[in-house]
Every structure is written in structure tokens, then in C-alpha cells.
Amino acid sequence: MSEFRAPRYPVHPWQVGEPAFDLAAYKVNEAVLALSNGYLGQRASFEEGAAGADSLRGTYVAGLFDAYPNPTMIKLKGRPTHPHEMVNIPDPLPITVLLDGEAVDLTVCRVNAYARTLDMQRGVLTREVEVETTAGKHARLAYTRFLSRPRPHLEAIEVVVTPLNFPCEVTFLSTVNGDVRNAAHLHLGAVTTVSLPDAHGVVCRTLTTGVDIAVLATETISPILPSGGEEGPWEEVGLASHRRYAVKAGQDAMVSVTKLVDQGDTYTLTKLVAVATSRDVDVDGDTLDAARAFLAEGAALGYDALLTEHEAAWAAVWEGVGVEIAERDGSGALTQGLHYSLYQMIQNASTNDPTVNIGAKGLTGEHYFGTYFWDTEMFMLPMFAFAQPAVARNLVHNRAYLLPGARRKAEELALAGAAYPWMSDENGDESTILWQFGLMAIHVTADVAWGVWFYYCVTGDLDFVADHGIDIMVETSRCWLSRVYYRADRGQYVINRVLGPDEYHQGVDNNYYTNIMAQENLLKTVRLLDILRDARPEAYAAAVVRLGLTEEETTRFRAVGAAMYLPYDDALGIDLQDDRFLALEPHDLQADPLPGAIPAVWSYDRAMRTQLLRQGDIVVAHILLGDRFSDEQMRRDFAFYEPKTTHDSSLSFNSHSIVAAHLRQTELAYDYFLRTARLDLDDLHGNTWMGVHTACLAGAWQCVVLGFGGVRWYDGALSLDPVLPPQWASFAFSLVWHGTRLHVTVREAAVTLRADAPLTLTFAGQEITVVGEMTVSSKERGAGSEQ
């Protein structure tokens, strides 16, 4: 494998720092240093902007979407004419600082000192700069901002200005800007400025989905500003002893305050922002009234109290997640990458709204339009189910919320039941305009069903299954019954013309991953129906009536699942990716490596006729359904497909790390983990500016816990088989199993287990019951060796 570049950011276990202003990296840093609280997300653009920078400035609300016209303007079955994308809302961030009338802009002024830091422990972004204006005025500026975790509708910003070589007239211009759009489309209409005695802002409405949005701000000044002052070019709408309001006509709601500040003195602006929309689950009635109430609540507490409770909320999060590694070389690069991965995943997940999911870029960018993919179940759900079960419940509940959209897609494709979209919008409707993905990447339907079964295995939450999960299972199974084809010559059911997770081979017959996941969908539906019938007969009876389910239909789920065709090559002893994969042209990546991702160097035509993979379908199946593969089968499959995988997908590294760890190929597992944990921090794919890769970030947790920790959940039984990579002195993690938290510490000589309540599990092949704390030696656990 290729060597790694030096880390882009100084290595620190809990910080991502930008020690010098780098104009070329401005857009990348907007994504890497982005803030979120699960409801609001904001890219790390400068408050004052940067006129000379290439920027994608954006603030987003989870679940807030609007439509745009399909650029092909051609209607095909299964392809939307007006797909949806996440909306960039009115910008609450702008705060311009003028020094004797000259605006501070780091792309214009001379920058004498600079440091920006994302503190992941606190969830706070800070920036300290010393600038010299073109007129020779020196000043120090310190910026702090955070999106409140306990009060997700609130943002707080503080700007402190200190003149260094002269008395200076300092002016703050604080704005809520309604003249914004997404990178490619305009989504805001009826934009109106609002001026109130205690706030100013913008109200508007999305153009096609009709969602009302209110963004309000209020500012305070320290030291206290005396009343009176020069008239500005804006209409004066209110004046108090410590603040001066003025609103500019048009789409910007602006406040201007000015004070003569002595050399060495400080002048501070604190800005509180509240956002509310008519789609929010905790907003009733008028959105402006709701935003005003949120803002008043924050103002009553004050900036310092808001920051204190925000930091306490993050401290509680980190105490609960608890994943740590001790690197022998002391570099800390992996620790930083792991903490960053956890931080981004946690901050991009809603804690209280099951109507929203997590997009492929979270709330950090607009690529993939903010829509929801199979990434949720395959890569994010495992982390949340084991680390934050309440968030996991929201994620699986969201798929139930989106079930009507999946039914609509199935109906349009002349299929039964529910077919989940490749790219799901906020209503569960298909948003991809690439027909081959929207029509052939049907494995996502089985992936969603797998998520229901997995969530039940880890949490034992039969209430969710009874109320919502069984609906997903039955409707997706109905879809497969209408999609399979019975081959009389084989005496088995096949699934033709599909696109598997690999994505470089389109329209294949019997993609192994798709077939085995569809089979699991059918068989686990029957299993959950049996569990409900035995454990919750009333809920079972209600589901039968609600879904119109018959015994004949259930029997067919079982029969078709049992007779599903899974391609296999007897000569090589491997599971075949699809019927024709071995007939394709081989390519030796070691002898002839590609200079970049396949789409950049080859046509898709060549990719589709070559034995190279974007990511390993069967390797993913080894993890999701590992109890169905022997170690020897995994070893043969992995040896065959791993050298053929380009890893052009950010989802690929972590899957290979997990399987390599299971096979005790620890050096390879470690290498793949390194790529997973630092993909965004080091911009390994060169596209982090579009937004962070949430599935890959969640994959870093998987590499530690499922990979080196050897955690498995199959059939509702917890098992562990840890392996310690030689680069680590130890690693530790905790997980929640059926409501009980288990703490695991792996060292070279021993593994320590501590459970908050008695917990029975399988450890290295032996069933044990953990009561309190116990230690198992390396000899007793039979640690595997490199193979």
C-alpha cells in the first residue's frame, strides 16, 4: 500500500487546528471545521467572509429540503422530475468589523498572526488573528462560536476586538442575510426582513415545499455603549443603553454599532441566533414566534451560561462514547482521527427527531444534496446502536417514517410492497437522477431491512419491531417476491439486472451481495413474525390486520428465501460477485496501479468490463452476515477480491480493515484503519470540501470495535474476539447491549471487561458471564496470529 502524506493539521488528540491562514485550503476547512448540533449545521466560513476565497458558505437545517428541476427534463419511470435537496437557509453568521471605516478581510489585510481551532471536547470553534489594515492600523480579533447542543435552535457567536497601535473607531455590522442560495439552485422566496424591539432577522419560505423559515438575531455589546450616537444610513428601529439596532432595506437585516476604543482596550460583540422552521417537530404555530421564544430563552441565560451548559453536554457525550487507543509511537495521529470521526458523527445526528436521517455529508455540505443513502444502515447504525441507542432508534424509526415514499417508488416500478430509494429525500422519495442507480441499486431495500434486524439484535427493542419495524420487514419482503425470477433450470430464484455496492459493474445478474441480503430480508421477516407471535400476540395480530398479511404470503417469504441462488465458483472456492464476473478482463493493480480513481482515468465502459471493484461487495457481506461464512471461506474470498479493489469509494477502507482484523491480518487491518480515520482530515480523496464523508467517519468506530475489538451481534448474541495491533499499547471502548453498558480494555497481556450489570457473552469462543470487572489473559483467550 502507498505511503501516507504528512498530516494536514497539527496532531492533537482533541483539537483540529489551522495554525496559519491558508487561502487555498479555505473551502476544505469550511467542511473539516464545520459545526453541527443535529438540527443546525454550519460550514466554517469566516464571520466576516473572505472576498478572495473560493467558498461554499452554508447553514443547514436537518430535514429541510426543496425541489429543483431534473436537468435532463426527461421523465423515466423511477426517475424524479423534481428531486429534492437540502436547503441553505438565511445566513446568520455575518459580522463585519471595521477599523476606522476599513473592513477587516483576511484576503485584503496583512495577517501578522493567525490560529483557528476546533475543540472537539467542547464543540467550540475559535479563531485568533492579528491584522494590519491598508492604513497601517493593527488590531487583534478573537472569534468564538458554537451551536448549542442542549438548545439546538440556538447559535452563539462572540467577537472581541483590541486595537494594538492606536485609538480606533471600531464598528460592528451584524447581519442576517436572506440573499442566499444553494451552490446550484435558488430555494428561498418571500424573503422579508424583520425588526423587533428585541431582535432582527429574516423570514422566508422554500419555493416548492412551502416550508416557513425564521432566522432571528440579537446582539449585546461590552463595554456598555452609551445611548445616542451618529445616525447611520439605515432606518433606526430601536435603541437601548447597551445596543443600537438598525435594519437595512432589502434582504439583509443588519445591526450597526460603533465605539471609539483606546489602544489596548477591548470591544466585544455577542450575537445570539435562533432558527425555527414549520417542519420542526418541536415548533407549533408561527415560526417567527417560535424563533423569538427560542432567542428570548437564550438571551435570558446569557452567553456564558449557554457556553457552560453546551460544554457540559459534550462532556457527557464523550464520557458515554468512550473509545480510546494508546499508540506506541506516541504520534497521536490515529487518536486525533478517531476522535474527529466520532465528533463529526455525533454532532451530525439528531437526538430528538425521528423524521430526519443523516445525509452522506451530514450537515457539512451540499454534495449528494443532503439525501439519505444505504450509508445509514451499513456504516452509521452499528456505531449508534452500540454507543447511543436512542439515536439508533431515531434512525430506524426514520425508515418507518419514510415507508410511504418507499411504497410510492415500488408502485412506480410496478413492484409490490416498498422499494427504498437509492437517494432518499425528506419524504422517502427517490432523488437520484442517475437511472442506473435509481432502478438497479435495489440492494438498499434489503439494507434497510437488515438495519431493523440488527437494531433488534443489539437493543432487544421489541416495541419498535411491533409498532414499526415489522411493517418495514413485510413490505420490503413483498418487494423481493415481485422482483425475483424463478429459474426452472436451477430450481432457484434469481435477481437479474442489478447494481451492487461495487458500482463499477452495472446491470449484472445475481450480484452476490444483493441476493444474499434479499434472502436475509425474507428469512428475517419470517423470524421476526415468529418472535412477535410468541412474545407479543396482540401486536402480531394487529400487524397482520394492518398489513393485510396472510399465512400463504408468510410461507412464500420462507420458501423464496430458502431457494435464493447465491453464485459460487467451485474451482476457485469463492463466492462470485455476479454470474459473469470471472469472464471480465483481469487487471493487476500491483503491477499496473492506476494514477487516480477509475472515473478520472478510465471510461465507465472500461471499468464495467474489467475485474476491478470500487468497493468489495462480498467483503461487506462478510461483516453484515458473518455467521453465514466460515473463516476459511472469508479468507479465500478476501484473498481474491482485496487485490482487485481500488477503494475509490470512501466506504471501502473500513470494511477491509474489519475483515482483515478478523482474519488476523493485523498489519493490513491497521493500514486500512489509518486511511479510514484520517480520510477527511488529510483529504485523501481530494473532495472533502464538498462535505465530510459521514459513512467513512462512522467506519472509524467500526474499525476499532468491530475490527480489532471483534464485536459481533449475530442472532441476538453478543460476542467478542479482540486482537491488539502491534502499533498500539492498548485500546478501550464501551458498548451498550440490551441496555447494559460493557467496558472493554485490550492490552498485550490481558483483556479487562467491566459490565454495569451481569452480562452473558461469548469471548474468544467461550461463553462467560461478566459480573462487575474481570480480566482474561492472552493465553486464555487464544489470541490469533498473523496469517
Side-chain angles (χ1 to χ4, degrees), residues 701-732:
W701 179 95
Q702 288 194 29
C703 289
V704 176
V705 178
L706 307 187
F708 300 114
V711 171
R712 295 296 183 269
W713 59 88
Y714 305 134
D715 209 34
L718 177 63
S719 65
L720 295 82
D721 190 9
V723 58
L724 182 69
Q727 294 86 350
W728 298 352
S730 66
F731 69 98

Side-chain angles (χ1 to χ4, degrees), residues 85 87 181 306 338 358 386 434 442 512 555 636 700 786:
E85 72 173 336
V87 173
R181 59 182 293 135
L306 287 171
L338 177 61
I358 305 174
F386 280 116
L434 299 174
I442 60 172
Y512 187 94
T555 299
R636 288 196 301 267
E786 187 86 14

Side-chain angles (χ1 to χ4, degrees), residues 410-480:
E411 182 178 8
E412 180 158 358
L413 298 182
L415 297 172
Y420 276 89
W422 173 244
M423 292 171 58
S424 176
D425 69 12
E426 80 281 18
N427 300 314
D429 291 313
E430 182 65 79
S431 267
T432 183
I433 61 175
L434 299 174
W435 65 267
Q436 61 271 42
F437 286 85
L439 302 182
M440 294 192 294
I442 60 172
H443 65 82
V444 66
T445 295
D447 299 333
V448 170
W450 178 91
V452 173
W453 172 252
F454 166 81
Y455 172 76
Y456 170 69
C457 286
V458 175
T459 66
D461 185 355
L462 197 54
D463 289 340
F464 170 76
V465 174
D467 295 338
H468 305 287
I470 199 63
D471 299 61
I472 295 173
M473 300 300 291
V474 169
E475 291 287 61
T476 52
S477 291
R478 285 169 169 166
C479 178
W480 291 117

Side-chain angles (χ1 to χ4, degrees), residues 300-574:
L301 280 173
Y303 177 87
D304 291 339
L306 287 171
L307 178 58
T308 297
E309 68 173 15
H310 171 74
E311 292 173 334
W314 267 108
V317 166
W318 288 119
E319 183 178 357
V321 173
V323 180
E324 299 293 338
I325 54 179
E327 301 169 72
R328 291 188 188 277
D329 64 5
S331 70
L334 269 179
T335 296
Q336 181 187 41
L338 177 61
H339 287 164
Y340 179 76
S341 299
L342 294 169
Y343 169 78
Q344 281 288 7
M345 286 311 306
I346 291 165
Q347 75 164 357
N348 278 284
S350 173
T351 59
N352 66 344
D353 186 355
T355 70
V356 302
N357 208 300
I358 305 174
K361 301 297 179 184
L363 298 172
T364 71
E366 298 171 17
H367 195 53
Y368 297 127
F369 307 102
T371 55
Y372 315 137
F373 286 75
W374 73 307
D375 304 19
T376 296
E377 282 73 26
M378 302 299 96
F379 302 95
M380 304 179 203
L381 185 60
M383 169 188 158
F384 287 115
F386 280 116
Q388 293 186 310
V391 174
R393 197 178 202 278
N394 279 341
L395 293 176
V396 292
H397 190 282
N398 175 257
R399 292 300 196 176
Y401 174 77
L402 300 179
L403 184 58
R407 287 175 172 140
R408 288 190 291 272
K409 175 168 181 173
E411 182 178 8
E412 180 158 358
L413 298 182
L415 297 172
Y420 276 89
W422 173 244
M423 292 171 58
S424 176
D425 69 12
E426 80 281 18
N427 300 314
D429 291 313
E430 182 65 79
S431 267
T432 183
I433 61 175
L434 299 174
W435 65 267
Q436 61 271 42
F437 286 85
L439 302 182
M440 294 192 294
I442 60 172
H443 65 82
V444 66
T445 295
D447 299 333
V448 170
W450 178 91
V452 173
W453 172 252
F454 166 81
Y455 172 76
Y456 170 69
C457 286
V458 175
T459 66
D461 185 355
L462 197 54
D463 289 340
F464 170 76
V465 174
D467 295 338
H468 305 287
I470 199 63
D471 299 61
I472 295 173
M473 300 300 291
V474 169
E475 291 287 61
T476 52
S477 291
R478 285 169 169 166
C479 178
W480 291 117
L481 291 188
S482 64
R483 186 60 172 81
V484 299
Y485 169 63
Y486 183 69
R487 284 273 301 269
D489 58 331
R490 291 186 183 276
Q492 291 178 298
Y493 290 91
V494 298
I495 306 176
N496 294 326
R497 296 298 183 261
V498 300
L499 172 64
D502 162 32
E503 296 177 12
Y504 281 164
H505 299 92
Q506 302 173 2
V508 303
D509 294 339
N510 295 306
N511 169 258
Y512 187 94
Y513 177 90
T514 303
N515 283 25
I516 196 171
M517 290 295 285
Q519 181 183 58
E520 281 288 306
N521 191 163
L522 291 162
L523 297 179
K524 289 305 188 290
T525 298
V526 176
R527 180 77 179 280
L528 281 174
L529 285 169
D530 289 343
I531 291 172
L532 271 185
R533 181 192 290 115
D534 294 341
R536 302 280 183 86
E538 291 184 1
Y540 171 80
V544 167
V545 173
R546 182 171 69 244
L547 296 165
L549 185 65
T550 66
E551 283 294 332
E552 180 183 11
E553 197 173 21
T554 304
T555 299
R556 190 155 182 249
F557 292 163
R558 183 183 289 108
V560 173
M564 187 71 72
Y565 168 63
L566 301 176
Y568 189 84
D569 185 82
D570 291 320
L572 295 174
I574 61 169

Side-chain angles (χ1 to χ4, degrees), residues 11-218:
V11 174
H12 186 287
W14 289 104
Q15 294 179 1
V16 180
E18 183 189 13
F21 177 45
D22 183 354
L23 181 61
Y26 187 84
K27 191 186 282 190
V28 174
N29 287 328
E30 283 181 313
V32 171
L33 304 177
L35 296 175
S36 180
N37 59 18
Y39 169 77
L40 273 177
Q42 190 174 72
R43 287 170 65 86
S45 310
F46 291 167
E47 285 81 353
E48 72 277 13
D54 184 16
S55 170
L56 178 62
R57 192 178 181 101
T59 302
Y60 312 99
V61 170
L64 179 58
F65 284 73
D66 196 49
Y68 64 94
N70 182 335
T72 66
M73 300 305 291
I74 299 173
K75 172 59 181 171
L76 295 176
K77 282 287 187 180
R79 184 166 69 173
T81 56
H82 288 82
H84 287 198
E85 72 173 336
M86 183 173 65
V87 173
N88 185 10
I89 69 168
D91 184 4
L93 187 57
I95 302 174
T96 301
V97 177
L98 289 84
L99 305 177
D100 281 344
E102 182 176 347
V104 173
D105 184 330
L106 300 195
T107 66
V108 177
C109 298
R110 178 176 177 176
V111 180
N112 295 324
Y114 178 96
R116 184 159 57 154
T117 302
L118 173 63
D119 188 324
M120 296 179 286
Q121 278 185 304
R122 301 165 58 225
V124 174
L125 181 64
T126 60
R127 177 165 54 109
E128 295 185 359
V129 298
E130 291 187 12
V131 298
E132 179 182 351
T133 68
T134 58
K137 308 297 177 64
H138 293 245
R140 180 185 303 114
L141 296 92
Y143 300 82
T144 303
R145 74 181 191 242
F146 61 94
L147 299 178
S148 173
R149 185 164 181 85
R151 303 174 192 271
H153 291 270
L154 291 179
E155 176 177 21
I157 311 167
E158 183 181 76
V159 184
V160 181
V161 180
T162 307
L164 296 179
N165 68 341
F166 63 102
C168 177
E169 188 176 76
V170 178
T171 299
F172 290 117
L173 300 179
S174 178
T175 307
V176 177
N177 179 18
D179 186 17
V180 300
R181 59 182 293 135
N182 282 57
H185 307 106
L186 177 67
H187 291 298
L188 303 182
V191 179
T192 306
T193 55
V194 174
S195 58
L196 303 168
D198 55 352
H200 65 105
V202 170
V203 294
C204 58
R205 177 175 294 172
T206 56
L207 291 173
T208 62
T209 55
V211 178
D212 292 324
I213 306 167
V215 182
L216 290 181
T218 187

